[in-house]
Amino acid sequence: MNPPAGPKKLLDWVDEVAALTRPDTVQWCDGTTEEYDRLMQLMVDDGIAIRLNGKKRPNSFLFRSSPSDVARVEKRTYIASRTKEAAGPTNNWIDPDQLKETMKGLYDGCMRGRTMYVIPFSMGPVGSNIAKIGIEITDSPYVVVNMHIMTRVGQKVLDVLARDEEFIPTLHSVGKPLAEGEADNGQWPCAPIEEKYISHFPEERMIWSYGSGYGGNALLGKKCLALRIASVAARDEGWLAEHMLILGITNPEGVKKYVAAAFPSACGKTNLAMLVPTVPGWKVETVGDDIAWMKFGQDGRLYAINPEAGFFGVAPGTSMDSNPNAMKSVERDSIFTNVALTDDGDIWWEEIGYDAPGKLIDWHGNEWDAATADKPAAHPNARFTAPAASCPAMAPEWEDPAGVPISAILFGGRRPGTIPLVHQARNWNHGVFMGSIVGSEITSAALDLKAGTIRRDPFAMLPFCGYNMGEYFQHWIKLGQKADQSKLPEIFFVNWFRKTADGKWLWPGYGENSRVLKWVFERCIGEGEATDSPIGWMPAQGAIGRPEGVSEQDMAELLAVDREGWLREIKSVREEHYPKFGDKLPAELSAELNTLEQRLNQS
Ligand code: SAT
Ligand code: MN
């Protein structure tokens, strides 16, 4: 595709980047199938991509990244706002001028020997008033094909751009220029860790990424734009950009409600978004599995869109048992990164639901034998990229530009103790309090935190909030104050991860979580029996059906108020968590903490 006509500031920026990075050629992306096929063939020919067996996995490809480039790198992710305070206590900050200086040095000539691609993309249905347009410049064809799936790319986006000229510029390079005659030779190009930068300039609404080709470091529409930069825009414009899945739930009478839910990573967000209910007659449909952009509509209700168009899901652990809809989504037209390859040209990963069929090639490209292997065949953060349209569970209205009205918001984390299966906030501020204390218990000693401590991840936004997290809490409280109280979503705290003292799961999770969703649904329509408790509304006895294999005693434990545990929780929040936010912590949240304590002490 030739350079489009205008807008001028876009063409100027592209010229400026090309002059700095000096690619061999510049290519504008049109988002067509022809373009996708051509780039895939190019990468197959270069030995970067492997075409999978078309009979088993039609139109699908495998990539293997460098072992030094397998996940987002939070250490190298920066919020370069004008002041350190604006970035807040939980983000890495560098002065923006200094960071630009450093990065311009790295970008200088960094695309030599490569093609520079210009990708016009829309986050959200093209033309939706909640959607935003971005341009990603990248020297990675892997990024282009992933962006084809994860976002909406192409001419339609340029048409909108020609009209309102607004776009978010995002610049990406793998950071591996090629000398004359040099080629990648099948090696994943990237820069060493200390040269990687995932940088955000919130005031300018701009993203610069260098040195990594993987996931959220490189697909800049996702965490960088749709969360970090969008959260800043949302604060300024009075809406919400959240790390939340969106699902629709329909009761046997055909009434449908929408739920948004935030969980830290490794809590099964994609599984919940695509859940197959065990409760007869109920249906769950997917609107999104990772990000929600929510705006108040004219009618005072909160409407959500999924800004993405595909799934970038963790492969290991995904099976016909844990998530049949995800398995069906990756049957064709998918990209796999760092999974294992079978000898008949298909993919395999740990806990895919069947044994490795004989010898495999692992994610390093080496032979792997289940009988002798001491390391997994797929990287634990191996991913599939699949079009949302391939998922059988998609709600028909998932691309509705108006979004879907949200009735309930769930927060949750991995908490073996204290937090019950579900409880409901008394009001909006109490719900914001719940979001602010979200966290998961540290299980692996790999992190230099003691096992058993809680890694707080408020709103599951800690790595994704583009500004001061204390101000982010304030923003949530302010939106609630301004809204029509009767139209605000109900807020719930859920926990699928309770364990017994001897380490056994108390709750089966997966499809059985529909029992909790059913109660949430019923609470939203003024049904669903609840009792008042010191921590909020709890399901009345019998209000949540008991899954097979869960004893009455387990059920009672799952739905009890653990007074001692909550008092410890309060202490930990008061002494270790809230002080991080200093005077930015809203007084409303300290007040909620005190109220909770009083109610527990009176109980
Ligand atoms: O790599 S992504 O940021 O897209 C996914 C994740 O790490 O949550
Ligand atoms: Mn995520």
Side-chain angles (χ1 to χ4, degrees):
M1 181 176 164
N2 292 321
K8 185 167 180 317
K9 77 172 172 194
L10 170 58
L11 302 181
D12 287 351
W13 175 59
V14 170
D15 285 347
E16 193 189 309
V17 172
L20 175 64
T21 59
R22 275 165 285 164
D24 284 0
T25 49
V26 177
Q27 237 176 66
W28 286 77
C29 297
D30 59 13
T32 56
T33 312
E34 184 281 325
E35 176 175 86
Y36 185 89
D37 296 345
R38 182 168 47 78
L39 289 179
M40 278 298 190
Q41 191 55 51
L42 193 99
M43 290 187 280
V44 169
D45 294 343
D46 281 353
I48 294 282
I50 295 166
R51 186 185 297 276
L52 295 170
N53 182 339
K55 294 212 178 69
K56 304 227 149 204
R57 208 59 68 171
N59 191 32
S60 297
F61 298 84
L62 168 65
F63 291 80
R64 296 185 193 119
S65 78
S66 151
S68 69
D69 199 29
V70 291
R72 279 185 297 103
V73 278
E74 288 177 19
K75 267 197 331 233
R76 306 295 305 170
T77 300
Y78 297 93
I79 302 298
S81 36
R82 285 268 140 233
T83 66
K84 186 169 182 354
E85 195 191 21
T90 57
N91 282 312
N92 298 318
W93 178 83
I94 301 182
D95 173 79
D97 295 330
Q98 186 192 332
L99 182 57
K100 280 184 196 166
E101 183 98 359
T102 308
M103 289 191 75
K104 277 186 184 157
L106 292 167
Y107 281 135
D108 190 354
C110 73
M111 294 191 189
R112 277 213 178 91
R114 297 189 187 277
T115 299
M116 179 177 118
Y117 301 93
V118 185
I119 316 169
F121 64 95
S122 175
M123 297 312 287
V126 178
S128 162
N129 79 330
I130 315 182
K132 288 211 184 283
I133 290 197
I135 307 287
E136 177 160 354
I137 294 183
T138 179
D139 54 7
S140 162
Y142 169 82
V143 165
V144 179
V145 291
N146 275 275
M147 290 293 282
H148 267 234
I149 296 177
M150 295 305 297
T151 73
R152 287 128 178 125
V153 178
Q155 185 58 45
K156 273 208 269 186
V157 179
L158 287 171
D159 294 344
V160 176
L161 200 57
R163 218 172 42 231
D164 52 19
E165 305 211 345
E166 276 268 333
F167 68 94
I168 297 173
T170 81
L171 170 56
H172 169 254
S173 171
V174 294
K176 179 87 180 58
L178 296 168
E180 192 72 39
E182 189 188 351
D184 286 324
N185 285 327
Q187 294 293 306
W188 174 269
C190 63
I193 182 84
E194 62 284 357
E195 279 180 23
K196 293 190 208 291
Y197 286 90
I198 322 299
S199 306
H200 307 74
F201 302 92
E203 290 92 352
E204 289 171 79
R205 310 267 197 271
M206 183 169 88
I207 298 157
W208 283 7
S209 166
Y210 184 90
S212 166
Y214 203 87
N217 301 334
L219 312 177
L220 301 184
K222 196 173 177 57
K223 309 294 191 187
C224 297
L225 192 161
L227 288 176
R228 298 197 192 93
I229 293 297
S231 63
V232 176
R235 175 199 59 191
D236 295 349
E237 298 162 9
W239 51 285
L240 295 164
E242 300 299 328
H243 191 203
M244 291 181 181
L245 65 91
I246 310 163
L247 61 82
I249 174 164
T250 309
N251 74 1
E253 287 73 50
V255 181
K256 192 167 192 175
K257 298 280 163 197
Y258 297 91
V259 177
F263 299 85
S265 48
C267 289
K269 255 180 43 233
T270 303
N271 294 348
L272 182 63
M274 299 178 187
L275 165 148
V276 181
T278 53
V279 190
W282 288 70
K283 186 162 83 180
V284 166
E285 289 168 312
T286 314
V287 177
D289 80 325
D290 197 34
I291 300 175
W293 283 359
M294 301 189 282
K295 266 190 192 164
F296 286 98
Q298 304 254 291
D299 62 358
R301 301 193 64 188
L302 191 59
Y303 285 81
I305 63 160
N306 169 12
E308 301 190 279
F311 309 117
F312 187 67
V314 178
T318 306
S319 69
M320 285 307 279
D321 276 336
S322 69
N323 193 337
N325 285 313
M327 290 304 281
K328 288 178 195 149
S329 309
V330 302
E331 274 174 3
R332 52 181 308 133
D333 307 323
S334 297
I335 300 170
F336 299 90
T337 309
N338 291 345
V339 305
L341 177 68
T342 65
D343 55 14
D344 59 356
D346 200 7
I347 44 86
W348 188 87
W349 51 70
E350 276 67 27
E351 291 176 62
I352 195 172
Y354 47 88
D355 289 341
K359 285 216 174 79
L360 294 171
I361 306 294
D362 71 8
W363 72 276
H364 292 284
N366 298 326
E367 280 197 15
W368 189 95
D369 187 341
T372 54
D374 58 353
K375 293 218 177 69
H379 186 277
N381 192 40
R383 297 276 172 160
F384 55 78
T385 319
S390 300
C391 176
M394 287 321 275
E397 63 281 19
W398 79 276
E399 297 196 271
D400 187 340
V404 295
I406 298 296
S407 297
I409 294 175
L410 315 186
F411 294 114
R414 271 182 186 264
R415 297 294 305 269
T418 308
I419 315 289
L421 180 62
V422 59
H423 64 297
Q424 182 185 1
R426 277 184 298 277
N427 53 48
W428 182 262
N429 281 0
H430 184 210
V432 175
F433 166 77
M434 289 173 173
S436 78
I437 66 167
V438 161
S440 282
E441 186 159 312
I442 304 288
T443 45
S444 92
L447 292 155
D448 46 334
L449 283 166
K450 262 200 310 245
T453 55
I454 313 295
R455 183 183 199 238
R456 301 281 169 194
D457 185 357
F459 291 75
M461 280 291 279
L462 201 62
F464 307 120
C465 183
Y467 62 101
N468 191 308
M469 199 86 206
E471 285 174 21
Y472 168 94
F473 299 151
Q474 290 170 21
H475 177 58
W476 265 80
I477 286 174
K478 213 167 66 196
L479 281 192
Q481 280 164 353
K482 285 205 308 217
D484 177 342
Q485 300 303 303
S486 69
K487 292 182 177 160
L488 279 171
E490 295 292 330
I491 301 181
F492 299 81
F493 206 157
V494 298
N495 181 17
W496 323 131
F497 300 96
R498 279 293 289 270
K499 284 185 171 173
T500 58
D502 52 354
K504 284 204 298 284
W505 296 115
L506 274 169
W507 181 251
Y510 300 107
E512 299 291 12
N513 293 338
S514 58
R515 296 175 192 275
V516 175
L517 292 180
K518 173 174 177 283
W519 185 72
V520 165
F521 178 110
E522 290 165 347
R523 292 296 291 160
C524 291
I525 58 167
E527 296 171 11
E529 276 184 84
T531 50
D532 198 6
S533 89
I535 62 172
W537 294 102
M538 303 280 291
Q541 206 181 1
I544 291 189
R546 187 158 56 87
E548 223 182 272
V550 177
S551 68
E552 287 208 29
Q553 203 187 336
D554 288 349
M555 208 61 200
E557 191 172 341
L558 280 161
L559 292 172
V561 176
D562 170 6
R563 194 169 163 278
E564 298 311 310
W566 276 102
L567 289 172
R568 277 196 304 274
E569 185 81 11
I570 290 168
K571 188 167 174 339
S572 136
V573 169
R574 186 177 283 143
E575 290 174 10
E576 288 148 40
H577 180 45
Y578 275 178
K580 285 182 281 207
F581 307 103
D583 61 3
K584 298 279 188 207
L585 183 81
E588 288 86 348
L589 293 187
S590 316
E592 287 294 333
L593 189 64
N594 294 338
T595 304
L596 175 61
E597 187 175 44
Q598 276 159 21
R599 293 177 66 115
L600 283 161
N601 283 331
Q602 281 157 13
S603 67

